[in-house]
Structures are given as structure tokens and as C-alpha cells.
Amino acid sequence: METMDFTMSINTFWVLIAAVLVFFMQAGFALVEAGFTRAKNTTNILFKNLMDFCIASLGFWALGYGIMFGAGSGFLGEIEFFSNVDHGEALGLPNYAFLFFQLVFAATAATIVSGAMAERTKFSAYLIYSAVITLVIYPISGHWVWGGGWLASIGFHDFAGSTVVHSVGGWLALVGAAILGPRIGKYKNGKTNAIPGQSLVLGTLGVFILWLGWFGFNPGSTVSFADPGLVAHIFMTTNMAAAAGAVATVITTWIRYKKPNLSMTLNGVLAGLVAITAGCDVVSPGGAVIIGAMAGVLVVFSVEFFDKIVKIDDPVGAISVHGVCGAFGTIMVGAFAVDGGLFYGGGFSYIGTQLTGVAAVGAWAIGTGLILFYGLKYILGIRVSRKEEENGLDFYEHGEKAYN
Amino acid sequence: METMDFTMSINTFWVLIAAVLVFFMQAGFALVEAGFTRAKNTTNILFKNLMDFCIASLGFWALGYGIMFGAGSGFLGEIEFFSNVDHGEALGLPNYAFLFFQLVFAATAATIVSGAMAERTKFSAYLIYSAVITLVIYPISGHWVWGGGWLASIGFHDFAGSTVVHSVGGWLALVGAAILGPRIGKYKNGKTNAIPGQSLVLGTLGVFILWLGWFGFNPGSTVSFADPGLVAHIFMTTNMAAAAGAVATVITTWIRYKKPNLSMTLNGVLAGLVAITAGCDVVSPGGAVIIGAMAGVLVVFSVEFFDKIVKIDDPVGAISVHGVCGAFGTIMVGAFAVDGGLFYGGGFSYIGTQLTGVAAVGAWAIGTGLILFYGLKYILGIRVSRKEEENGLDFYEHGEKAYN
Amino acid sequence: METMDFTMSINTFWVLIAAVLVFFMQAGFALVEAGFTRAKNTTNILFKNLMDFCIASLGFWALGYGIMFGAGSGFLGEIEFFSNVDHGEALGLPNYAFLFFQLVFAATAATIVSGAMAERTKFSAYLIYSAVITLVIYPISGHWVWGGGWLASIGFHDFAGSTVVHSVGGWLALVGAAILGPRIGKYKNGKTNAIPGQSLVLGTLGVFILWLGWFGFNPGSTVSFADPGLVAHIFMTTNMAAAAGAVATVITTWIRYKKPNLSMTLNGVLAGLVAITAGCDVVSPGGAVIIGAMAGVLVVFSVEFFDKIVKIDDPVGAISVHGVCGAFGTIMVGAFAVDGGLFYGGGFSYIGTQLTGVAAVGAWAIGTGLILFYGLKYILGIRVSRKEEENGLDFYEHGEKAYN
Amino acid sequence: MKKIEAIIRISRFEEVSEALHEVGIDFFTYWDVTGVGNEKSGAIYRATVYETRYIPRRIISFVCRDQFAEAAVNAIVRSAKTGELGDGKIFISTVDDSVRIRTGEAGPESLYIKD
Amino acid sequence: MKKIEAIIRISRFEEVSEALHEVGIDFFTYWDVTGVGNEKSGAIYRATVYETRYIPRRIISFVCRDQFAEAAVNAIVRSAKTGELGDGKIFISTVDDSVRIRTGEAGPESLYIKD
Amino acid sequence: MKKIEAIIRISRFEEVSEALHEVGIDFFTYWDVTGVGNEKSGAIYRATVYETRYIPRRIISFVCRDQFAEAAVNAIVRSAKTGELGDGKIFISTVDDSVRIRTGEAGPESLYIKD
Ligand SMILES: Nc1ncnc2c1ncn2[C@@H]1O[C@H](COP(=O)(O)OP(=O)(O)O)[C@@H](O)[C@H]1O
Ligand SMILES: Nc1ncnc2c1ncn2[C@@H]1O[C@H](COP(=O)(O)OP(=O)(O)O)[C@@H](O)[C@H]1O
Ligand SMILES: Nc1ncnc2c1ncn2[C@@H]1O[C@H](COP(=O)(O)OP(=O)(O)O)[C@@H](O)[C@H]1O
């Protein structure tokens, strides 16, 4: 038996286990997206979810890690090939432990978009998008907040990534879905039609898996087990926000649509989880319940807003869940943070900082998203033909049905 | 790097990971129950499984924790709002770590009932039931055994909850299913009809997930990693009982029904797991194999008994698996405990103590269950109308089919 | 609070968590195999996957562990009933922790075969096979490599079991599938027909679960957390090989079949994972990418080779994924090992050693497989009747359809 | 020989099956379909409340000798009726011939229906 | 009364449904089937590239009064046509009688189709 | 034109499809149904052993010119027969007209069956 550096062993162990849970969120996203779309596009959506993780793994390892965590400037890290500079040491972690943890986060940001663009996006265009987000878009804004960049300096607080991960994914989803246009049949003669997903079993299992993964996502962002009380605290806030989100959505749908609605409540759980992600370390469980519940209400109206007013067709609700609730949750840190939040006597400046961060990252994601998706559209095309869409992407893009 | 309290870090880490595995059992229950019922009620059963966890989370945090672990008397803990009293300290754990671990246990007890009452229970009544069990029923009998109450004092041994969690859930399932009455078509002209579930894939995946979760449930109940040998021991007893349960059920069904039967064997795995839960720390792996195997046989006859003799319609076998095998396993501790069990020369008194605990908790669960379900029945109604049941609960209660 | 032996606690904790992840691979295998076969045989394939784990648990505990790890000779361990000799101590682990970890590995080797022999093998014959592999075949060759046997002595390196676990399973699958013969309709008038599996959703979820499990399989094979850098390293190599395998298969299928193909890419992920298993500790992440990518290409041609040239019908690709890529990955250790590999200036002798191990274990598995499956064939029969096969094994062997 | 095709509510299937048995129809084939008719049902999916006219139904189809047709139709009407919109329809048509595959016999004898 | 059975591409279903509505056919029943015909489609499964003649199709089936049949058939042809191989077929046959289960009424009145 | 509807065992589908091909029937439509007939099968679900008369079957349906009907029926009988209870039935009826959607052509020409 060699002697052990217990601190390093425990911290590394914790970070890797948390990363494994976050990794498994990929399966959760795949199931939610497959469940919320139609059977004729299932091979395609599963395939996209699988490949974006693979491409993100390669891309983040090859370049993204350095851009995000390299010293560089306040705006940008550095080009470090194949993660050859150690950014774990400062945290008392092996470089590869920190890298792997960050890599699964990058992949999470990447995968959010597939749901919003489901059932009509070209496979090849999607693969390119996956590379660009993990090589460029995500690492740069990530650098601002987590890589010691300018948002970190002004005190912007996004503990586990409501903004850095989720709202980046959400805003890219917004731009992508807007540029793509709605699925055929979604809007007809000014009417918004429901296009029910194929399976709530897949949707529900996916949400349970995502919830599970969030117990790696949020508490794992401590990247250390030095403070067991903090980790346990984050487990509680994470769980309570999700539970409160679900209950709030159930009540909202029950009142608004006369019946308790499962498909929306699944979004409500995720809304609560996304919203608490920024402040899971600094709000109390009671605060988490309030934030989660507000997100659970907000998500219903946000989905309606994009669906019926703005008429951007987002089959799984990614824009509302990740974009809107991610931004909302980040701002709420300024209100509910036990130390310095508005409701704890801290004044408005904290909220101001949070707003700055949300706006800056939002602008970045939307700006780069516009360039990326318009670029793809004009160079390669991002939307399949009418015929392919009508007959299903599985048929023409892959020659392989999901079910036989 | 701050210096670390290694003991606390390791214990907290362990308890939280175990809790995460137990959390995931919710997905397992949801899948088993969805798989064992018909497609027309799938939205409903998934929704119930999701919401009971959310309500249990809120309720146990708000009040249940204090009632269970508060000092109080031998019969009852204390009203402590929002888990504001630290019960983890005594165990060397952050309060929230212990709370979160206990919360997922409470949710497990809550969710057991939904399967037995599936396909005919009103959604609103089920939500109220969920609140009552986590706020009152479970914490009180839990206090007797785990909160330092009177059963703890007399030496009743239920390590991880064969009785505290599973049989409480099982007896409530019994009372609920009995008061509800059977599903339409289950019994016709004195004949018992099979109502096959929609999918053994869902059922099998659910059982694998539950088995996985049990590796948090049982060994996690050490709430400490001070004794690695004990934790490892519990992994083995847990696994061997499950495996033996499955093998025993296969053989039993093969002999009795002429063919090896999967749907019953899935129950057999769970029977083995539930039965070993009480004594997983004090029986040997060999003892675990025997207990598991006996439970695997018992569950077959128990399911037949309730199905054909007593004619209580339990679509998933929750009464037999959790109630009967939970009680059985608890009693077997008195026989197989290496230290003091009957077969190890300890005489009958241990069994006597175990029987007392089983009977007391059973009486409590059945008594409160009668009040609760009869109360719900007369005030609100617990059963959907004939028409809703025939057309499926998804249709009328939610306006949303699970599959499209 | 007792004082803790931190080293032992951390190591045990790690080994048990890794074992839990490996356990969950059983669910992954069950889903992949159910997804890649037809709905009429789903009950059967799920049942086989469940029972082989149960039988492996009992058999490895009863005898296999001693045969594998008992002192014995270079060729064979010892008959030690019910794992009563402590083989964990030398590693600083409780015996039951090491036993449980090894037990789930044995079960993995066992379960590989079911996929290749799916849709036509008798249930009873399969159960006997499961017992024989965990009692005899796997522990003996396992002893050679991991039990201090002769392959260990000559310096053969198979860190986590590309050869010990996967290729043993793969070669047994080869022999079993060859002796069984192809499914009815697979080859007709010299033409190879596709028999599409029922569900890519099940297949994809299964692959995600397997990938998850591999984060226990490979890094857990350290059986210690003394070297956090090594564990983290293995997470990275494991992940990168899987990602590269997927990307390579996508490209290969895109070129070769004109369209990116999901069913094959799922095999590509597994090919990458199997191939990196032997050398995950000694190759760099870059090396892992290359090995994974080569496996991702190799698996396509290997599947075609067995399917179209050799005409051995393997519904899930187990022979190519586990047998061929397992052997390939083991040999590649000799080329890519940073310390001593051919490409790092180590000469050819390392590859020679690796080849020896691959050949010896392959010969053992194929030899014993021939005896076992021919024995079963002539004594009991291994194939169901034509009528049973045509109507589905669920119908005749179990009287229970998977879907209703 | 007459072919009877009844489009019924899935929830009335057991009753119809028994009623047919009582009038001597023991053989039939059924499958699930979607019906579009007078009946509407409220549905919700995520944020959209809508009314759907696509209602799950079951078709029961069988061929019987002419003299059984009326009794069979009456049996279905009796057992499938709830009185609410959407109970379904029965269509009766004429079949030229019927063949039992197992024996190759054709004509009414191929319909094993007790008289 | 005529029974119209149209085997169409699933992707044309909405259009056909609307076209039928325009000519007064508001009631029908449909289900999904597999068609074997002229059309072939390339498929891949694992390492095997093959051509399949099994194409997913949908059957729309309804019974209407004789005078509606022609308009209905025309409406379907118009709306279901893409001009490519595999657009499907329409079969027209005669039905002896129709019964509305809810009311028991028989004959053309049982077909609620506005004239 | 005749409409042939054969209710067969799913396990005989390939053989029937080939036999039809041999007699010039290359176009048909099929779907899976549940048959209730003479055949029973033993089933178990959890603790209940029961006999079910609900057996999975497949319907093959096609319309052909009159002169092909007999050969087609014979081909089906030949290929679908196992000799055991439950082999299924074939029903032959008359169709008034057929229309090919792609071209709009009606009558026998719309049935692309080589003579
Ligand atoms: N003319 C028709 N042709 C085919 N199917 C019909 C026709 N009319 C009704 N149906 C079927 O019968 C079902 C019930 O009919 P509906 O009009 O809703 O109720 P009701 O018969 O009570 O007025 C419909 O969903 C549809 O499947
Ligand atoms: N004679 C027939 N009987 C039954 N179904 C037919 C017949 N001919 C064609 N079909 C159905 O119509 C579909 C389209 O026919 P196909 O021959 O592919 O195209 P087209 O009609 O454009 O020549 C087929 O897939 C099949 O389902
Ligand atoms: N009169 C009928 N009308 C419709 N379908 C029938 C009829 N008779 C039999 N069938 C179908 O044919 C299948 C086989 O019939 P069955 O009576 O079991 O066997 P056999 O024809 O060999 O006596 C049944 O399952 C049912 O689907």
C-alpha cells in the first residue's frame, strides 16, 4: 500500500463520481427528446444526442479546455492542444479529473440544442454545430465566469452553470429554432397545433435520469469535498427546487388547463433544476423551494409565449427550460443569496451584477448563434427537405427506422 | 486547500451517494408500475410516481424529519419546522446529508402504494395520501425504530427498513387496494382473470434500477464508512438475497406453472431484496441466500393468496413483495442473525422481539391506513368513475395519452 | 465515532461504487440485446439476462472466486467453498468488497454470450451455460492473468479485461452461435438478410448505460484510490476511446453505406470501450483515441465478415465487439503503452507477450466452448424447435408476451 | 355469406365479445384503429389545449352465414351501446366465398359456426 | 352505400383528411399498415444494406351514400397524389347496410353525412 | 375485380408473400390483428395460468382481377397451411372499382399485375 494523499483522493473521487452522474444526463436528454418527438424521427434524435457527446468529448479535449481555463485574458483562455496544461493542480485535482468533469459539462451545453431543433435539422449541420459550440462558443463565455475571466472579476455568481451551461444552450436553441422555422404543421392558418410526442414513458424516465445527473452537476461543482456541509446543502437545495418546480407546474396546469398535465410537469422539474443551479450553494432550502416554484410557474408561461406568441417551434421546451429559467435562476441569486441577496438585506447591486452576467452571456450566445446558424444555412443548409421531414428523418437521412 | 475532516467527508460522501442511488429507485418504481399496468393508464401512473416523490420531499423536509428524529417521546418525535434541528451531528454528518438520506427513504415508503392502487385511484386522492404518509404515518412508526423510540429500546432490529419502509408501504397498499376494490374485469363470475401489464421491458429495466438502488438503500444505512468490512458485507448479502430470490422464483414457477415465468421472477428479485433489508448487516451471505430464496418462494404463494383467495387486486404485487416479504425478512433476522439468531444458538427471544416490531408497525400502518383511505373515500372519493376506468385514466384525468 | 482506517475506507468505497456501476451494465446488456432482436423473443432475452447474473452471483460466490484467486498453481486456483478465503486483504480491501467487484465482472463475461445466441437458444441450456462459465471457464483463464497465474508471470497486460472478460465472452459467443446455426430466414438462397431489431431506443439507452458502467469497469480495476491521477487518467482514456470509436464508425458507415448508421455506431461505441479496456491505464488519451477509432472501423468490417463471409449469425454483434475488438485492444497495448510500447520505442517483444495472452485465452475459451456447447447440444439440445422459433420463444418457452 | 365490420369503443370490447358468443359467433378478428366522427375529446399537450376528433376505436370483423347476420348485428348494438356520441357503426356487406386454410374447404362449411 | 378504402402515404394524411372534409366526408376510420407495391426504399441495418418493399402506409376507410362516392374519390386522388411511385390505391365496393350503434338506426340515415 | 383478405399466422408471412409473387401478385397491404377462433394458447401472467383465445395474426389484403383470384387463393392455402388448428381463413369479395392515386386511372388497369 502506498500512502495516500487523502485530500486529493477524496476530492478526485468525488469529482469523478459527480462527472459520471453528469455524463449519464446524456441518456436523460436522449430519452426526453426522443419521448417528446415523433417516432419517425427517433433514430435521428438518438443519433444526434449520441454524436454531440462524442464530438464534444473530442473537441473539448483537443482545444476547448485550454480556451476555457487557460490563463489568457479576461475574455479568452489559450490555445493549448490536447489539454496539455494542468488546470487541476490549483484545485488539488489531477488535471484529467478536472478535465473530465469540465468535458461532461461542455457536452451538456452542446446537447441542449438538439431538442429545440428536433425533427427538421440536417444531421451533418448538427454535427458541425456540435463541434463549434464545444470548441468556441461555450469555452469562451465559460472562461468569463469559470476561467477567471471578466465576469468572475466583477463578482458574478453562477455556481454550477444556470447561465454558463444552461442558458448558453437555451439561447443557442432559440436562435437555431428561429432560423430553422417551425415544423410543418405546427402553425396552420394562424393556429398553433399540438404535435404530441411519442412517449411519456421515455420522457419521464429521461427526467428522472436528468434529476439524478443533477446530483452530480450541482454538488459536484464544489470540485472538492473539503466542506461536507456545503455538498449536503447543495443536495438539498437541488432536490427541493426540483420538487417545488414540479408541484408548482402541476398546480399551474391544473388551474390553467383544468387538468394536471404531465408533459408540462416534466418541464417543470427541469425548470426548477435549471433555476437552482446558479445559486444552489448560497440559497437556503427554503429559498430553493421558492426559486424552484417560481421557475415551475414561469416555464408554463414561457412555453406558451414562445409557442403561441413568438411562434418559435421548440418541440421539447429547451428555450424555456434552459434559456429562460437559466437566466431567471441566475438573477434570483441576487435576491435569495443568504449572504448579500436582496431579501437578506443586500440591496440591489447583487442583482445588477447577475443581470450583467446574464445579459453578457446571452448576447454572446445569441450573437455567435446567429453567425453560426446563418452561416450553416447559407453554406450547407440546415433544414431537411419537405419530403424528408414529412416522411421522417430516419427514413431519408439514415435509412433506418427506430422501431420494427 | 482547507484541511479536511476526513472522517466526516468520507461518511458524508458515502451517505449522499447512497441517497442518490435510493433516489433513483423512484425511476425503478415508475417503470415497474408502468410496465405492469395497461397502456391506457400510463400517464397517470408515471405522474403519480413523480408527484409522490415531490410531495414526500416537501413534506418530509417541512415536518416529517422532526417527527421521526426529534427527541420527543418513545412514540413520537417533535414538530420541528423545515428540518431546523440538527440530527446529523450525533452521527458525525451534516444535518442536510442525513436529512436528504432519510427523505429519499420516506419517498420510497410513499411510492410503494401507487402500484397496488394503480389503474383506478383518483389522482387528487393519491396526492393527499402521499402527503399524509410522509408527514404522519411513516415518520411516527419510523421514530419507534430509527428515531430512538420504543421499538429501538426493546432491541428490535430492522437495519435498513424491511419493516420501517417496505412493510409500512406494503400494509398501506393492502388497505388501499382493499378499500378501493378490484379493477373492473379482474374478478368475473368468481373467476380471477389475468390483466397482463403492457411491457416486460419496462418491468425488467425497473427491477434492475431498483436492484441498483438497493446498493444505496442497504449499505447506505450504515450512514458511515467507518467499517468498510460491514459495508462490503452488506453489498454481498443484498446481492446474494436478490439472486437467490430470482432463482427460487424461477424454480417455483417452473414447477407450479410448468414454465419459467418472468413477470413473477421480477417480483422474486424484489422479494429477496425486501426480505434481506432488515438483516443485511447481521446475517451471513449464506444466510442471505436462504432468506432470499425463501422470500422468492413465499412471494409466489403470497401473490396467489391475495389474488385468488382474498381477492384483493394488486396489479404489481406490492402487498406481497413489500408487506409480506418485508415482515418475513424482519422475522428471519431473529433466526439467521449470526449474533443471537435462533439458528446460531440464540433461542427464541430474538424472534419474539422481531415479531413484536412487525406486529406493532403493521397494526399502525393498517390502522392509520384504514382511517386515511376510508376518510378519503367518504370525503373526496378515491376511485374514478366506471367510465374513466374503462377508457383509461389518462384520457379523463389528464387529457393526455402516454403514447402517440 | 470509531476511528477510521482512511486508506481502507476510501479504497473500499471506491471499489464498491465501481462494482455498482459494473452491476448496472447488466441492465445495459439486457436493453441492447432486447433492442437488437425481435419483439417476439423479448421476454426470453430479458429473462436470460436477468438469470445469468443471478446464476453468476451464486456460482462465483460458491466456487469461482476461489478458482480464480486461490493460490493454487499457475494454471488453476483452489476449490474454496463460498469464498471463505480472504483475497482482499493483500489489496487492503475487505474480502467481500473484492469478491463483489470480481463477481460483477464474472457476470459481465457470462452475459455477453446471450446476445449472439439470441432468438433461438433453449432457456434451460442457457442457464446451464451460465453456470459453467462462472464456475469453470472464466475463473480459470481469469486466474492466469489476474490470479497470479502464468500469463501474469510472463508480463501479459490486461488491465481491466479486454481479454479476460470481453474476449472470453466473445469467443464463447462465437462458438455458441456457430454450433447453434443462424436464425431461420437469416440466410436464404445464399443471400444474407437483415433482421432489424425491434427498437433503437432500447439499444441506445442500453449503450449509454454500458458506457456509464465502463466508468466502473476500467477505473475500478485499480481496486484502490491511492493514485488519483491514475484513476482520472483511466476515466479520460475510457471516454476518449468510446467517443473516437463512435466517430470512426459514423464515418466508416457514411462512406461505405452512403448514410450514417446508428445501429452500427452503437456497436462502434462498445468497440472503442472494449478495445481500450486492456490498456486504459498505460496508454495516453491520444493513444486511446487512436485505439478507439481503429476499433470503430474494425468492428464494421468484422461484423460484415462474420455476417456475410463466415455466415455466423450474431444478432447483436457480440463476437465482433467483445471477441475481435477485445483481442485487438489487448494487442494494441503492446504498441501504444507509453512505457514499453512499440510506438514508444519498446520493440516488438511487448506485442509478442500480448499476442501470447490473447491466443492462449482465446484457445481456452474456444476449446472449452466447443466441449460445452456440443455437450449441451447432444445431451439436452440447445436449439428450440422450428415452430417455437417462428412463433417466438416468448410464446412457447414462457407463455408470456413482453408487450400487451 | 355476410361480412360484418363493427367499429366500437375499445372499452366495450369484452361485452361485445360475450354478446357475440351468445348468438353463436365464436370466431372473429379485431384490430385497433383511430376513428374520426361526431365525438370529440379534450386533450392537452404541454401548453396547448385542443380538441381532438381522433378517438381510439376497435374494429371487430367477421364473416358469417347470412342467417346469422341479423342476430349478430343486434347483439353488437345491444352490447356496444352506451348512448353517448361515438358508440360507432356496423357495416354489413356480402362476401363471395370463404376458404379455411387448414383444410382448404370453401363455402359456408369453412365457417365453423354452430347453427 | 359505398365503402371507400384508400391506401395512402402517411405523410399525406392531413391533406386527405381536409380534402374529404371539403366534400362533406367528416367520418372515417383509419389505421396504419404496411404496403407492398412498386415503391422500394433503401435501408441499412448494421452492416447490411438492402432494399425493402415494405413501406408504411395508412388506410382510410369509410362508408358513404352512393352519390358521395365519386366526389370522395376525386378528393382523395387530388390530395394524396405526389406523382411519385407509391402514392397508393383507392378501392370502392358496395355495402349492404350500415347501423349506428348509438341509436340502432340502419340504412343511409345512419351515415351522418350532410347532403 | 376481387378483393382477397387472408388472415394468416404471422410466422407464415414470408412463405405466403413468396407464393403470391409466384402467381403474379406483387402488390398487397398487410397489418397485424388479433384473431379469435378455434385455436387456444396457454399463457401465464404472474400467478395466473390461463388460456387465451386471442392469437396474433396478420391480414394480407389485396385486390386483383377476377382471373387471378383462384390462383391467388390456392397459393395462399398452399403456403399458409401448417395443418394445425388456427391456420386462418381467406375471404373473397367483389370490388366495384379501383383507382391508382398516382395516375388517377381507374378500373383493372390500375392494378399493376402482370397477366
Ligand atoms: N361513415 C363512416 N365510415 C367509417 N367509419 C365511421 C363512419 N361513421 C362513423 N365511423 C366510425 O365510428 C366512430 C363513431 O362515430 P361517431 O360519429 O363519433 O358516433 P355516433 O355513431 O355515435 O354518431 C367514428 O370514430 C368512426 O371511427
Ligand atoms: N392490388 C393492390 N391491393 C392492395 N393494396 C395495393 C394494391 N396495389 C397497391 N397497393 C397498395 O398501395 C401502395 C402503393 O402502391 P405502389 O404500387 O407502390 O404505387 P403506385 O400505386 O404509385 O404504383 C402499396 O404499398 C400497397 O400498400
Ligand atoms: N368467420 C371468421 N371471421 C373472421 N375471422 C375469422 C373467422 N374465422 C376465423 N377467423 C380468423 O382466423 C383465425 C384462425 O381461425 P381458427 O378457427 O383458430 O382456425 P381454423 O381456421 O384452423 O379452424 C382466427 O384467429 C381468426 O382471426
Side-chain angles (χ1 to χ4, degrees), chain A residues 103-118:
Chain A
L103 179 159
V104 291
F105 269 63
T108 304
T111 207
I112 288 167
V113 174
S114 54
M117 296 176 69

Side-chain angles (χ1 to χ4, degrees), chain D residues 35-36 38-39 57 86-89, chain E residues 27 29 62-63 100 102:
Chain D
V36 178
N38 275 316
E39 191 183 355
R57 301 269 178 240
D87 278 349
K89 299 275 186 300
Chain E
F27 300 171
T29 302
F62 55 91
V63 173
R100 184 193 304 278
R102 172 161 51 94

Side-chain angles (χ1 to χ4, degrees), chain D residues 27-29 61-64 100-102 110-113, chain F residues 7 9 33-39 53 55 57 84-89 91:
Chain D
F27 301 172
F28 58 83
T29 302
S61 164
F62 55 90
V63 173
C64 63
R100 184 193 303 278
I101 293 174
R102 172 161 52 93
S110 71
L111 305 169
Y112 256 76
I113 299 181
Chain F
I7 302 162
R9 295 181 191 277
V33 301
T34 304
V36 179
N38 276 316
E39 193 184 356
R53 295 174 64 218
I55 314 275
R57 303 267 178 240
E84 288 181 52
L85 267 183
D87 278 349
K89 300 274 187 299
F91 302 122

Side-chain angles (χ1 to χ4, degrees), chain D residues 7 34-39 55 57 84-89 91, chain E residues 27-29 61-64 100-102 111-113:
Chain D
I7 302 162
T34 304
V36 178
N38 275 316
E39 191 183 355
I55 314 274
R57 301 269 178 240
E84 289 181 54
L85 266 183
D87 278 349
K89 299 275 186 300
F91 302 123
Chain E
F27 300 171
F28 59 83
T29 302
S61 164
F62 55 91
V63 173
C64 64
R100 184 193 304 278
I101 293 174
R102 172 161 51 94
L111 305 170
Y112 255 76
I113 298 180

Side-chain angles (χ1 to χ4, degrees), chain A residues 11 197-198 200 225 239 261 263, chain B residues 4 9 57 398 400 402-404:
Chain A
N11 287 343
Q198 63 169 312
L200 286 174
F225 220 101
N239 190 63
N261 182 255
S263 50
Chain B
M4 233 191 229
S9 284
S57 286
H398 309 290
E400 181 165 50
Y403 305 100
N404 286 292

Side-chain angles (χ1 to χ4, degrees), chain A residues 135-216:
Chain A
L135 286 170
V136 183
I137 303 179
Y138 171 80
I140 291 182
S141 55
H143 180 78
W144 303 352
V145 185
W146 291 347
W150 70 274
L151 278 170
S153 333
I154 66 165
F156 175 64
H157 186 88
D158 182 9
F159 187 69
S162 285
T163 288
V164 174
V165 179
H166 292 283
S167 79
V168 163
W171 302 137
L172 285 167
L174 171 66
V175 176
I179 293 178
L180 261 184
R183 289 168 292 174
I184 294 169
K186 177 72 191 176
Y187 300 106
K188 224 145 103 186
N189 319 324
K191 234 187 112 244
T192 301
N193 296 307
I195 304 184
Q198 63 169 312
S199 168
L200 286 174
V201 176
L202 299 182
T204 305
L205 178 57
V207 165
F208 272 121
I209 291 177
L210 287 169
W211 193 335
L212 175 79
W214 240 284
F215 291 128

